[in-house]
Amino acid sequence: MTSATFAITWDYRCPFARNAHEHVLTGLAAGADWNVGFIPFSLGQAHVEEGQPSVWEKPEQDSGILALQAGVVIRDEYPDLFPAAHRALFAARHDEGRHLEDRAVIRETLTAVGLPADEVLARVDDGGLARVQAEHERYVASHAVWGVPTFIADDQSVFVRLMNRAPLGAEAAPSVRAVERVVDLLTGWPELNEFKHTSIPR
């Protein structure tokens, strides 16, 4: 397994972010020698129309910002439980069809993976939005990030759609191979700007 340092953005509402993050988490759990930064990115803020209030001003209008704040609190303050919580929040949205703007859903999801949900939500209320805003705006400014999942390494960044998942218990080798291919292209072949299949095999 190749040593690599990179970051990857997420918003729990995006199925392609779910796919990519499952591969990264699977690789890390198997011992991949990666130094990974997990970067929150608000899809809601990215789609605010000119002249309309930002998500930072009106977070209650955005369906994904509560979960994103919770994810950042867990990443920073409960790092050992972040992988399980990260998977669980993606699953709540995409496997269970639950509403991530519902505090009860967040509380149940976090409790199920062993987190003190009320403490996490208290930390969300005490500055969680500012944390997400700072990181979101930092990478918009530094790397022109506009979506999720975006892989970032050094001064390069690339939006990637991986079509297959890596659910808990999946074989690690395909995930390691997929992530390392992405990072190798990102850092080793920046001349490649776009490579997209014209159709999706079913």
Side-chain angles (χ1 to χ4, degrees):
M1 296 183 183
T2 306
S3 177
T5 297
F6 61 93
I8 180 173
T9 63
W10 93 90
D11 182 307
Y12 289 112
R13 292 170 293 185
C14 177
F16 294 107
R18 187 263 315 263
N19 291 359
H21 281 259
E22 285 185 343
H23 285 296
V24 170
L25 293 173
T26 296
L28 288 171
D33 186 15
W34 303 334
N35 179 26
V36 183
F38 293 92
I39 308 300
F41 182 87
S42 170
L43 289 175
Q45 177 60 25
H47 293 97
V48 170
E49 295 185 10
E50 187 174 350
Q52 296 301 307
S54 70
V55 168
W56 324 127
E57 297 169 291
K58 296 281 188 180
E60 67 278 4
Q61 296 181 6
D62 186 73
S63 65
I65 197 67
L66 176 63
L68 201 55
Q69 293 174 81
V72 169
V73 168
I74 297 161
R75 179 200 67 187
D76 293 347
E77 301 182 26
Y78 304 90
D80 291 347
L81 291 174
F82 177 72
H86 206 43
R87 283 186 179 273
L89 287 165
F90 275 118
R93 172 66 183 86
H94 298 286
D95 297 333
E96 301 163 20
R98 306 189 79 186
H99 291 276
L100 296 180
E101 69 272 27
D102 186 338
R103 292 175 79 91
V105 168
I106 301 298
R107 185 177 289 106
E108 291 171 17
T109 302
L110 301 188
T111 299
V113 297
L115 278 156
D118 288 334
E119 291 182 22
V120 171
L121 288 169
R123 297 293 289 149
V124 165
D125 295 336
D126 184 25
L129 189 62
R131 292 198 218 184
V132 172
Q133 180 181 358
E135 293 190 48
H136 174 106
E137 292 182 344
R138 173 186 170 191
Y139 285 93
V140 169
S142 66
H143 288 79
V145 173
W146 49 261
V148 299
T150 298
F151 284 76
I152 301 163
D154 300 324
D155 61 345
Q156 300 293 325
S157 58
V158 63
F159 173 79
V160 177
R161 285 182 172 175
L162 296 173
M163 302 305 293
N164 60 322
R165 297 184 57 190
L168 196 63
E171 183 185 353
S175 291
V176 171
R177 186 163 57 248
V179 171
E180 292 187 348
R181 279 180 171 176
V182 169
V183 176
D184 286 346
L185 284 171
L186 172 62
T187 59
W189 196 13
E191 296 84 3
L192 178 63
N193 179 259
E194 189 165 342
F195 180 94
K196 187 172 183 178
H197 289 276
T198 57
S199 62
I200 299 173
R202 296 295 182 185

